[in-house]
C-alpha cells in the first residue's frame, strides 16, 4: 500500500478536537490495562485552550497524513529559565502505529531543542508500563529520577533525559565559502522581487519596522530600506553579514529557529528564499519564532520552492520543498493567517516554481 503524504507541523486551535481524538484513541489500550491512565481522559478542548493561554510556550506538534492528524505530542518548558525541554503525552492513532510517527515526533522535538539551545530533553514514563520506558531507552533516553504521581499517590513514574546534539549546519558552512560568488550571481533586484514587495506594501505600509530573516548579502535589506521601512537584517552566516553592510541597516547574527529578537518587537518579517534551507522538521519552529517576534496584526512574507521532500545540492546546501496548501496549514499552526499566496515560475532554468505567501498575525 502506498504511503500517503505526511506533514509535521504545529497544531492550531482548530486542530484541538482532532488532537483530543488521537490522544484518547492512542491511550485506550493503556487505560484498559491500568486506571492510572485515567488522567489523560480529563483533557478537553477547553483545558487545552486554557493551558495554552496560561503557558504560551507550550505547543502541540502533530503528524498529518492525507490531511488527517494521526499523531501528536505536547512540548514546552515549565519555567522561562529552564534549560530542559519537556515532551509529554506522545500519541499515535492505533491504525497508524508501526509507521514510525512517534519516533518522528520525538526526533523533531530533539532537533528543536538543539536549535534553540536547550541542554536536554526530558519525558516521563509510568512504572506500570515498563515497555514505554524501554522504548524511550532504545531512542537514547536514560533514567534520571523517580517521582510519585500527584493524581495517584503511591504510584510512580520515571523521568528520562537525553542531551541535545548540536551539529554543524552544513548549509551555513557552504554559504560561508560561497558568499561573494552568491552575491555576484544573485545580487541584482529582479522583477519578481519588486512584485513581491508591491504585494507586501499593500498589507504593511512603510515606515514599519521589518526583520529580514536570512538577509544574505543584503540585496533585499537595502531595497526595503530604500522603500522606507526600518529594517533589521539577520543571517547566520558571518561572510554574508560582512557583505550586507552595504545595505546600511542594523545587522544581527542569528538563527531563524531561535531568533535573538524580543517578542512582539517588529511589525513585519521578510523571509526571501531563506526558510527553504530548513529541514521540514524545523520549518514550523522557524514559523513559531516569526509569530513570537511579530506584533499583533503584524505581517510576514515567505518565499519557498514548490515541491515535496528535501534535497542536498551538490555544493553542500539543503533545500526543502513545500506545497502551497501545506504552507498555509503550517502558518495556521503558529497563528498566522494567509492574506495572499501565489505561485510563479522559477527565474532560473530547470528549477521548480516558487510559492510566495503573505500572512498576518491576528492576535497577541
Amino acid at each position: 500500500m502506498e504511503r500517503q503524504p505526511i506533514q509535521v507541523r504545529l497544531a492550531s486551535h482548530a486542530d484541538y478536537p482532532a488532537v483530543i481524538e488521537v490522544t484518547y484513541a492512542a491511550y485506550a489500550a493503556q487505560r484498559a490495562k491500568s486506571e492510572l491512565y485515567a488522567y489523560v481522559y480529563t483533557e478537553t478542548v477547553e483545558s487545552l485552550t486554557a493551558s495554552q493561554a496560561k503557558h504560551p510556550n507550550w505547543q502541540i506538534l502533530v503528524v498529518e497524513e492525507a490531511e488527517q492528524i494521526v499523531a501528536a505530542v505536547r512540548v514546552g518548558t515549565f519555567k522561562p529559565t529552564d534549560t530542559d525541554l519537556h515532551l509529554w503525552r506522545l500519541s499515535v492513532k492505533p491504525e497508524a502505529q508501526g509507521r514510525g510517527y512517534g519516533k518522528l515526533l520525538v526526533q523533531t522535538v530533539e532537533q528543536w531543542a538543539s536549535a534553540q539551545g536547550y541542554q536536554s530533553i526530558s519525558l516521563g514514563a509510568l512504572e506500570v508500563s515498563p515497555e514505554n520506558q524501554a522504548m524511550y531507552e532504545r531512542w537514547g533516553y536514560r533514567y534520571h529520577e523517580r517521582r510519585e504521581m500527584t493524581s495517584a499517590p503511591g504510584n510512580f513514574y520515571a523521568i528520562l533525559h537525553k542531551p541535545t546534539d548540536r551539529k554543524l549546519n552544513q548549509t551555513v558552512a557552504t554559504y560561508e565559502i560561497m558568499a561573494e560568488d552568491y552575491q555576484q550571481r544573485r545580487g541584482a533586484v529582479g522583477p519578481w522581487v519588486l512584485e513581491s514587495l508591491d504585494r507586501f506594501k499593500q498589507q504593511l505600509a512603510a515606515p514599519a519596522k521589518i526583520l529580514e530573516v536570512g538577509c544574505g548579502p543584503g540585496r533585499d535589506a537595502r531595497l526595503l530600506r530604500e522603500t522606507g521601512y526600518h529594517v533589521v537584517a539577520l543571517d547566520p552566516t558571518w561572510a554574508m553579514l560582512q557583505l550586507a553592510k552595504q545595505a546600511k541597516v542594523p545587522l544581527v547574527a542569528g538563527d531563524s529557529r531561535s531568533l535573538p529578537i524580543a517578542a512582539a518587537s517588529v511589525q513585519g518579517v521578510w523571509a526571501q528564499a531563506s526558510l527553504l534551507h530548513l529541514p521540514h522538521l524545523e520549518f514550523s519552529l522557524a514559523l513559531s519564532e516569526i509569530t513570537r517576534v511579530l506584533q499583533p496584526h503584524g505581517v510576514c512574507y515567505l518565499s519557498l520552492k514548490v515541491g515535496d521532500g528535501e534535497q542536498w545540492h551538490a555544493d553542500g546546501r539543503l533545500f526543502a520543498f513545500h506545497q502551497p496548501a501545506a504552507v498555509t496549514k503550517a502558518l495556521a499552526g503558529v497563528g498566522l493567517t494567509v492574506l495572499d499566496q501565489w505561485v510563479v515560475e522559477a527565474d532560473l532554468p530547470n528549477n521548480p516554481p516558487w510559492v510566495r505567501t503573505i500572512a498576518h498575525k491576528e492576535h497577541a
Side-chain angles (χ1 to χ4, degrees):
M1 182 177 178
E2 186 178 354
R3 180 73 62 86
Q4 296 293 319
I6 68 168
Q7 181 182 10
V8 181
R9 60 176 176 84
L10 289 170
S12 66
H13 187 272
D15 295 317
Y16 285 2
V19 170
I20 297 291
E21 179 184 351
V22 167
T23 305
Y24 283 12
Y27 277 85
Q30 301 278 16
R31 188 180 187 185
K33 183 173 68 173
S34 172
E35 273 299 309
L36 291 178
Y37 288 95
Y39 73 94
V40 172
Y41 292 84
T42 63
E43 187 176 65
T44 63
V45 171
E46 290 72 25
S47 69
L48 272 182
T49 304
S51 294
Q52 183 67 47
K54 183 178 180 181
H55 303 282
N57 60 323
W58 287 10
Q59 298 171 316
I60 302 173
L61 190 66
V62 299
V63 175
E64 185 180 69
E65 180 186 53
E67 300 188 355
Q68 297 293 322
I69 292 176
V70 295
V73 69
R74 287 75 169 157
V75 59
T77 57
F78 296 99
K79 299 189 299 292
T81 56
D82 282 353
T83 60
D84 184 56
L85 189 65
H86 190 69
L87 67 87
W88 66 97
R89 215 158 292 181
L90 179 64
S91 310
V92 182
K93 291 182 75 171
E95 59 267 32
Q97 292 176 5
R99 301 178 189 172
Y101 292 158
K103 188 174 183 179
L104 177 64
L105 285 174
V106 173
Q107 288 175 332
T108 304
V109 173
E110 292 170 1
Q111 291 187 29
W112 287 18
S114 176
Q116 294 198 306
Y118 290 100
Q119 296 179 5
S120 62
I121 307 98
S122 67
L123 53 86
L126 296 188
E127 290 185 351
V128 71
S129 300
E131 69 276 10
N132 289 342
Q133 180 173 337
M135 176 186 70
Y136 289 122
E137 288 177 343
R138 290 196 300 272
W139 295 351
Y141 288 80
R142 295 295 177 260
Y143 177 85
H144 178 66
E145 64 178 323
R146 188 178 190 233
R147 295 181 184 175
E148 188 173 17
M149 295 180 64
T150 56
S151 60
N155 295 279
F156 296 86
Y157 62 98
I159 293 293
L160 295 94
H161 279 188
K162 183 177 181 179
T164 56
D165 182 16
R166 298 186 64 81
K167 298 179 181 178
L168 171 71
N169 187 319
Q170 182 59 50
T171 301
V172 173
T174 298
Y175 275 120
E176 292 285 8
I177 297 171
M178 64 181 295
E180 291 189 5
D181 176 68
Y182 182 86
Q183 183 186 39
Q184 292 176 5
R185 290 188 292 109
R186 309 294 288 171
V189 175
W192 53 274
V193 178
L194 297 176
E195 179 194 11
S196 298
L197 179 58
D198 284 342
R199 294 196 184 207
F200 185 77
K201 288 190 295 185
Q202 293 175 22
Q203 307 297 339
L204 183 66
K209 187 174 182 180
I210 304 294
L211 171 68
E212 184 182 6
V213 177
C215 67
R219 179 198 66 193
D220 289 14
R222 180 175 182 175
L223 177 64
L224 290 165
R225 175 181 62 79
E226 292 175 346
T227 303
Y229 293 108
H230 297 291
V231 184
V232 176
L234 174 143
D235 202 275
T237 310
W238 179 252
M240 288 292 192
L241 289 173
Q242 302 313 301
L243 297 174
K245 290 179 179 178
Q246 55 84 26
K248 298 181 181 179
V249 302
L251 301 174
V252 178
D255 192 315
S256 62
R257 303 165 300 175
S258 183
L259 295 172
I261 305 295
S265 60
V266 298
Q267 296 164 286
V269 169
W270 182 272
Q272 180 85 265
S274 57
L275 302 188
L276 53 77
H277 291 306
L278 293 177
H280 282 287
L281 300 187
E282 299 176 3
F283 180 57
S284 280
L285 177 58
L287 296 184
S288 179
E289 280 291 276
I290 287 174
T291 302
R292 181 183 65 81
V293 303
L294 276 176
Q295 296 176 4
H297 311 295
V299 175
C300 76
Y301 162 76
L302 310 174
S303 177
L304 302 160
K305 290 181 179 286
V306 176
D308 300 297
E310 300 168 3
Q311 182 179 21
W312 282 99
H313 194 277
D315 63 17
R317 292 179 295 165
L318 176 71
F319 288 88
F321 304 92
H322 300 263
Q323 295 294 342
V327 174
T328 298
K329 283 192 174 182
L331 288 165
V334 298
L336 295 172
T337 302
V338 170
L339 299 172
D340 191 7
Q341 187 176 73
W342 67 104
V343 175
V344 297
E345 292 302 314
D347 56 327
L348 294 175
N350 302 317
N351 276 273
W354 291 87
V355 53
R356 309 191 195 282
T357 307
I358 298 173
H360 78 133
K361 177 179 178 179
E362 294 187 0
H363 306 293

